Amino acid sequence: MSSFLSKAFTARDSAETRTLYDEWASSYEAEITAQGYATPARCAAALLKYAGNTNAPVLDFGCGTGLAGQALKDAGFAVIDGVDLSPAMLAEAQAKDVYRTLTRIEPGQALPFADGAYSLMAAVGVIGAGAAPAGALHTLMRKLPKGGRLVLSQNDHTLKDPAFMGALSEWTDCGAARLLFREDGPHLPGIDLNATVYVIEKA
């Protein structure tokens, strides 16, 4: 396992997270694809099942180098916009012919689009241990319109922290959102790490 990958699931603040991913950007794809990174394709297939309209714009939250965006495009989604906190990761994503727009975001600041702008969102390997905090789920769900769908994944490390599952339950338990899909499966099989993929719909 690379030094970057070994650090990826360690809790840290947003500045440290940005630094890690800036430094990792040039080798990120090679390292995680070598471990069989399965989650982007799994998430894209799950969202496709419930999307309804593949021409509707999709927000790829925490898009990184664009692996999730590529998976969404391969699944048939036509318009994909990406946001990420790492400029180096965004530079890698820019090199792909995948995104309509790419935007750098700042931790703790409002997302740079109007409420309801995206009825489809993806957070692939993003909201979890060593990455975005559990509260990022609330941020995305508040931006979704009624009937909007979000696909997200939680890996084994994340599932050990009750805060992340708790954030999801805050929406589903009270009926503010409906769980459409849940599937356990491979994340990085090369290091025997799994992830659960969810699709939730805002009520």
Side-chain angles (χ1 to χ4, degrees):
M1 189 186 308
S2 76
S3 61
F4 287 117
L5 188 54
S6 66
K7 295 175 184 175
F9 310 113
T10 303
R12 59 188 168 267
D13 64 27
S14 56
E16 292 171 326
T17 297
R18 174 177 285 165
T19 297
L20 172 70
Y21 283 95
D22 278 344
E23 293 174 350
W24 194 6
S26 62
S27 62
Y28 174 82
E29 288 194 17
E31 291 179 18
I32 64 169
T33 55
Q35 303 301 334
Y37 190 32
T39 304
R42 292 180 57 213
C43 286
L47 186 61
L48 181 65
K49 184 175 181 179
Y50 297 97
N53 178 11
T54 55
N55 290 317
V58 183
L59 177 72
D60 182 8
F61 177 75
C63 63
T65 63
L67 289 175
Q70 186 66 62
L72 290 163
K73 182 179 180 181
D74 292 345
F77 292 98
V79 182
I80 306 160
D81 294 335
V83 298
D84 200 276
L85 57 74
S86 166
M89 286 280 190
L90 287 170
E92 297 288 330
Q94 185 69 56
K96 294 181 170 63
D97 184 25
V98 170
Y99 294 97
R100 178 179 66 174
T101 65
L102 286 165
T103 305
R104 176 179 169 179
I105 57 174
E106 295 292 337
Q109 294 187 5
L111 292 174
F113 53 85
D115 293 358
Y118 296 95
S119 61
L120 300 173
M121 297 183 181
V124 180
V126 175
I127 303 174
L137 176 65
H138 301 313
T139 299
L140 293 179
M141 290 300 294
R142 291 184 190 114
K143 285 286 189 180
L144 270 180
K146 182 178 180 179
R149 282 88 186 252
L150 166 67
V151 64
L152 72 151
S153 63
Q154 296 183 334
N155 64 43
D156 290 341
H157 295 290
T158 300
L159 291 169
K160 292 177 182 177
D161 185 338
F164 291 97
M165 196 63 208
L168 186 60
S169 296
E170 282 187 48
W171 287 88
T172 57
D173 288 357
C174 70
R178 184 164 63 104
L179 181 64
L180 301 178
F181 178 89
R182 180 188 184 280
E183 180 187 69
D184 302 325
H187 178 56
L188 294 170
I191 57 171
D192 196 28
L193 188 66
N194 292 326
T196 301
V197 170
Y198 308 87
V199 178
I200 53 178
E201 178 183 68
K202 189 172 180 179

